[in-house]
Amino acid sequence: MSLKSLLMGAVAASALAPAAFAERGSDGQVNIIYWQAPSTMNVFLSGGTKEVEASSMVIEPLIRFDENGEIQPWLVTEIPSVANGGISEDLKTITWTLQDGIVWSDGTPFTSEDVKFTYEYCTHPEGGCAQITKFEGIESIETPDPLTVVINFSAPTPYPFAAFGGAESPVIQKAQFEQCMGAAAPTCTEQNFNPVGTGPFVVDEFRPNDVITLSANPNYRDPAKPAFAKINFKGGGDAVGAARTVLETGEFDYAWNLQVAPDVLATMESVGNGELMTSFGPSVERIMLNNTNPDPALGPDERAVVRPHPFLSDPVVYNAMSLAIDRVLLAEIGYGAGGQVTCNWIPAPAAYNSDALTCDTQDIDAANAMLDEAGIVDTNGDGIREKDGVPLSILYQTSTNSIRQDYQALIKDWWSQIGIETELRNIDASVFFGGDAGSPDTFQRFYADVEMYTNTFTGTDPQAYLANLLCDKAPSPASQWQGENISRFCMEEYDALWNTLAQTSDLEERARIGRELNDMAVTNGAMIPLTHRGDISARSSTLGGVRMNSWDSELWNIADWHRTE
């Protein structure tokens, strides 16, 4: 079946069934805790999931992906297709019709000019945009009238739903942000902390890396929603403490991303104040390999762009590092039923999950033999191998979290058994995943040899996500440290194959190319995948309407949340 054929077919455009609320704000306050605290409410200035999640309560995309990964119209009347005339026969144009009557939280009309402006904001040549891949291939956007948006692509685009689709690609208000273009973007504190939105809530106060207080949007399009009048959104702490506040003490109603040992969570849940929710999307805990040289002697800018890495550029080294890891043990101790061994960057949807790579068996002896054969040996008897005179000494960083520190300790030990010295570093998650372009400790700066974290994508088509490894998507001083090519991976063959994917309609062929891109990234040193993680969160037994979602923001339907007793 071709993607064009799929687009020719009927696309469900029915609105989600509304909850029966008495009136807006009738259920008082809901308390939410994200132990990774947001640093901004502008997703275009941060690649962190915590910023995407928090901002999704305020700013919205044209379409969303529900808990089954299905596209839902959000700020538009229907999903365009070739059959309904919304997508051109040559697949080079998509036309969106905005819902009439939607207004921003300040009461002004939401129009096609806001959509066009958002594209111009993210693609400004003097700025850096964390979500730039969502707009890849767009040639221009036209606004023939206030409710019509025409997106023109430079080539046939079989999947035209990345731009303005899902929580990573929302629409921002032109009137609020038009003085924040390009290099000025990160300087607009008021706009970045307090965006005007079309979503169910508005920001009352934003304290970066701490607390956000929000109120029901008085101009939200459904007069009966949201049920909650206030949100207390607490950031910071740790995953164990966050879980405890919902499952044991009942202080909070919802806790996100509970990277906590399975037995600890089970004990907490047995108290009876709340329940755990798990869903699997494409989230992968991985070790990113730095393809540039992080030596501090190069200076703060050069160390992120000067290549190659003195030894991680050698396939023998990173293959030996991967072979030394016991992924079965990691998944078991870290996530239990919520974790699965994976060798892939893209483990889901299933059609994109490659079976070409194997990694579920640890083999220390084979790893040592590989290094010996390559002449990467310990020359001075200190237990550390050298490559061309450079010791295999690694700085391994990640965010502060008990499971991640367990992973680090085990992997350090395994790497020591193959002659690699490892220094461990952990950084507060709010800082590590923050959007502060001036911080040396963000995962985008990557001032280390390897770093570990989880990332994912919205929707069920990974085309935009696979674009993260294109050569020109690497964070650098020129991009204000924005960009999702964290490894600074650069391979002409990868870029060329991605361009083929972007122009391929047949679903089976798209999946085949996607798997090949996955294999190319892993086998050529972009990363070492470890664990396919289920998303685990907790909700209070008195909180209703939650629909756990791994394909969009977990807060995607917060307008429907309500108190059950």
Side-chain angles (χ1 to χ4, degrees), residues 292-324:
T292 57
N293 190 345
D295 186 350
L298 292 173
D301 292 346
E302 290 82 1
R303 65 192 294 199
V305 297
V306 174
R307 63 176 65 239
H309 189 281
F311 54 83
L312 286 179
S313 57
D314 190 331
V316 173
V317 175
Y318 57 74
N319 285 332
M321 291 166 64
S322 178
L323 193 56

Side-chain angles (χ1 to χ4, degrees), residues 214-411:
L214 305 99
S215 295
N217 177 1
N219 292 306
Y220 188 58
R221 54 191 173 273
D222 188 330
K225 298 178 183 180
F228 288 107
K230 292 280 188 180
I231 294 178
N232 170 37
F233 190 104
K234 176 71 175 70
D238 57 61
V240 174
R244 184 172 292 117
T245 63
V246 174
L247 298 174
E248 290 189 345
T249 68
E251 300 168 73
F252 283 81
D253 297 296
Y254 192 83
W256 164 83
N257 187 25
L258 299 182
Q259 284 185 273
V260 180
D263 58 330
V264 175
L265 285 177
T267 299
M268 291 183 183
E269 189 178 29
S270 68
V271 173
N273 286 334
E275 68 173 9
L276 296 168
M277 300 173 295
T278 303
S279 65
F280 274 91
S283 297
V284 171
E285 186 81 4
R286 85 291 296 271
I287 293 173
M288 304 300 288
L289 304 172
N290 199 335
N291 280 234
T292 57
N293 190 345
D295 186 350
L298 292 173
D301 292 346
E302 290 82 1
R303 65 192 294 199
V305 297
V306 174
R307 63 176 65 239
H309 189 281
F311 54 83
L312 286 179
S313 57
D314 190 331
V316 173
V317 175
Y318 57 74
N319 285 332
M321 291 166 64
S322 178
L323 193 56
I325 295 171
D326 186 344
R327 289 171 173 80
V328 175
L329 179 60
L330 291 179
E332 179 183 342
I333 66 166
Y335 302 99
Q340 301 169 358
V341 170
T342 187
C343 311
N344 295 324
W345 176 31
I346 312 290
Y352 287 87
N353 186 35
S354 172
D355 60 4
L357 307 176
T358 58
C359 64
D360 56 353
T361 301
Q362 180 191 46
D363 196 332
I364 298 288
D365 291 340
N368 275 311
M370 287 172 59
L371 293 165
D372 289 341
E373 186 176 352
I376 303 172
V377 297
D378 175 10
T379 60
N380 56 19
D382 62 359
I384 305 169
R385 294 177 184 268
E386 297 178 5
K387 175 177 169 57
D388 301 326
V390 178
L392 269 59
S393 183
I394 285 175
L395 175 59
Y396 174 9
Q397 69 181 20
T398 188
S399 64
T400 305
N401 170 268
S402 59
I403 292 178
R404 289 200 167 121
Q405 272 67 80
D406 287 344
Y407 270 41
Q408 279 186 306
L410 287 167
I411 292 170

